[in-house]
Amino acid sequence: MYLQCSAENPVSIQEIYENIEEVLPPDEIIRRYKLIMSDLDGVHTKDRIGIKSMLSRFGEEGVEAGIGYRQAYGTVMSGDSFQLFMLHDDIFLFVVSDISGHGMEAYTTYIKLRSSIILSVRSENQRHAADPSSVIDYQQTVSDIIRTFTDIMADSISKDFACVIFTFVRRENDGYTFRFFNRGMYFPCFASLSENGVETFSLNEKSDAWHPAKGSPLGSDFRKIIGERYHSCAESVLTAKGDFRLLFFTDGIIEATGIDDPKSEFGLARLEKSLVETYSYFPQAAINTIFTEVYDFIDEPSRQMDDMTAVLL
């Protein structure tokens, strides 16, 4: 059985579901749903393993990572993503994004973003291979990604948008340099171990030593409003030495609301507190604890209204 849909013969969502129920018994619907979820879990597991494997080869000692991901309740696919790309001269590009909406539309926007990044990274690596003396132009690389992604969104007449933070990571001397290009995301939480114990430093607040530059989200509508300036992106540079941790996250974590007071949010303060309290844990154990605390805060999984992603380096 099938439904014929046209402008003259519109079909409602309810009619579609009623016909699905006629064709597929409930047990078969559940079975197919579990298969889809299993496939998606396999994709996320592969991503986690791939990222951890790449980071383990970074520098002389490697970098450990903890990764957590949960899509919004009732959704199958998500636009939240974490991606890692390797450029020449042992430079890593780590990308965390939060796509507008949920489900298949958000996931397809993520695919457009990922494709744009792959094309720009490949172009930069090929350019360096042709001229090994050349150095990477970080701003140009990000600008190329932004232009390609936005062109694709405009050509597909999409109103969706992406909040993205591009982070170039490079090992230099006895520390690491992080170059952030932020388009609509929160900066990561930073914690370090000093003589006074574990201390946090807010990268989301301006200070004498830190200037968090942030641009608009990425999308064709934003380009129409902002114009050519939209393609440029200011950088914020962090140099970290010694014992430290950096926690990337999407807003679904800090905007999760409490069961006792739906207007209260988990917030940055709780997230930073958890980062301090789990500092001695292995990164994955720390991430698992953070997610447990968020779920304890919201009390019921059905109250998770947004995708949640966190990566601890």
Side-chain angles (χ1 to χ4, degrees), residues 75-247:
T75 63
V76 176
M77 294 183 175
S78 164
D80 274 16
S81 71
F82 45 89
Q83 307 168 64
L84 185 65
F85 304 89
M86 189 169 185
L87 292 102
H88 53 85
D89 295 332
D90 292 329
I91 300 171
F92 281 84
L93 171 57
F94 183 57
V95 183
V96 179
S97 63
D98 186 353
I99 308 296
S100 62
H102 304 289
M104 181 62 75
E105 289 186 1
Y107 189 76
T108 55
T109 301
Y110 153 69
I111 295 300
K112 295 170 185 175
L113 175 63
R114 179 176 175 83
S115 299
S116 302
I117 299 170
I118 290 173
L119 289 172
S120 295
V121 168
R122 178 182 296 174
S123 176
E124 172 58 31
N125 283 335
Q126 290 176 342
R127 185 187 65 82
H128 180 75
D131 180 11
S133 64
S134 65
V135 296
I136 184 171
D137 185 331
Y138 297 101
Q139 290 188 335
Q140 186 61 52
T141 300
V142 173
S143 180
D144 289 344
I145 295 170
I146 292 172
R147 188 180 297 275
T148 301
F149 170 71
T150 310
D151 286 346
I152 294 173
M153 295 294 284
D155 290 344
S156 57
I157 318 177
S158 174
K159 298 294 183 181
D160 291 324
F161 60 89
C163 296
V164 191
I165 183 166
F166 304 94
T167 306
F168 293 91
V169 188
R170 187 169 190 173
R171 182 70 184 266
E172 296 183 359
N173 299 323
D174 57 344
Y176 293 88
T177 297
F178 298 88
R179 295 179 181 274
F180 302 104
F181 294 84
N182 194 339
R183 298 302 294 258
M185 290 282 285
Y186 283 96
F187 281 91
C189 294
F190 178 82
S192 61
L193 184 63
S194 67
E195 296 178 353
N196 300 319
V198 179
E199 298 179 330
T200 60
F201 177 77
S202 177
L203 299 181
N204 288 288
E205 298 179 5
K206 185 178 180 180
S207 67
D208 293 338
W210 173 252
H211 300 277
K214 184 184 294 189
S216 73
L218 305 181
S220 56
D221 284 347
F222 287 97
R223 181 164 67 180
K224 289 178 182 178
I225 296 171
I226 299 172
E228 187 60 29
R229 290 187 299 106
Y230 163 87
H231 297 107
S232 63
C233 193
E235 67 176 356
S236 300
V237 182
L238 171 70
T239 300
K241 299 181 179 181
D243 197 324
F244 67 90
R245 284 190 168 182
L246 206 58
L247 176 63

Side-chain angles (χ1 to χ4, degrees), residues 202-311:
S202 177
L203 299 181
N204 288 288
E205 298 179 5
K206 185 178 180 180
S207 67
D208 293 338
W210 173 252
H211 300 277
K214 184 184 294 189
S216 73
L218 305 181
S220 56
D221 284 347
F222 287 97
R223 181 164 67 180
K224 289 178 182 178
I225 296 171
I226 299 172
E228 187 60 29
R229 290 187 299 106
Y230 163 87
H231 297 107
S232 63
C233 193
E235 67 176 356
S236 300
V237 182
L238 171 70
T239 300
K241 299 181 179 181
D243 197 324
F244 67 90
R245 284 190 168 182
L246 206 58
L247 176 63
F248 293 83
F249 60 93
T250 56
D251 60 10
I253 291 179
I254 62 172
E255 293 177 1
T257 58
I259 184 67
D260 297 325
D261 181 6
K263 293 184 179 180
S264 67
E265 297 181 338
F266 189 77
L268 273 171
R270 285 188 178 89
L271 187 60
E272 290 178 348
K273 180 174 181 290
S274 182
L275 180 60
V276 171
E277 292 176 346
T278 61
Y279 194 89
S280 62
Y281 297 11
F282 286 112
Q284 191 58 55
I287 284 291
N288 294 344
T289 300
I290 290 172
F291 271 73
T292 297
E293 291 178 357
V294 174
Y295 277 109
D296 286 344
F297 183 76
I298 66 177
D299 190 60
E300 298 176 3
S302 61
R303 297 189 66 257
Q304 184 193 339
M305 306 307 293
D306 197 3
D307 305 319
M308 300 192 304
T309 298
V311 180

Side-chain angles (χ1 to χ4, degrees), residues 23-74:
V23 176
L24 298 176
D27 289 347
E28 178 63 14
I29 294 175
I30 293 172
R31 186 186 73 83
R32 294 190 181 190
Y33 173 79
K34 288 182 177 179
L35 286 174
I36 293 173
M37 293 304 296
S38 177
D39 287 344
L40 289 174
D41 287 342
V43 171
H44 295 311
T45 298
K46 184 178 179 180
D47 287 343
R48 285 193 290 265
I49 293 174
I51 287 177
K52 289 183 178 183
S53 176
M54 288 180 68
L55 287 173
S56 68
R57 302 193 301 270
F58 186 62
E60 295 179 359
E61 300 177 354
V63 175
E64 288 189 68
I67 300 173
Y69 165 84
R70 293 290 187 278
Q71 68 262 31
Y73 183 81

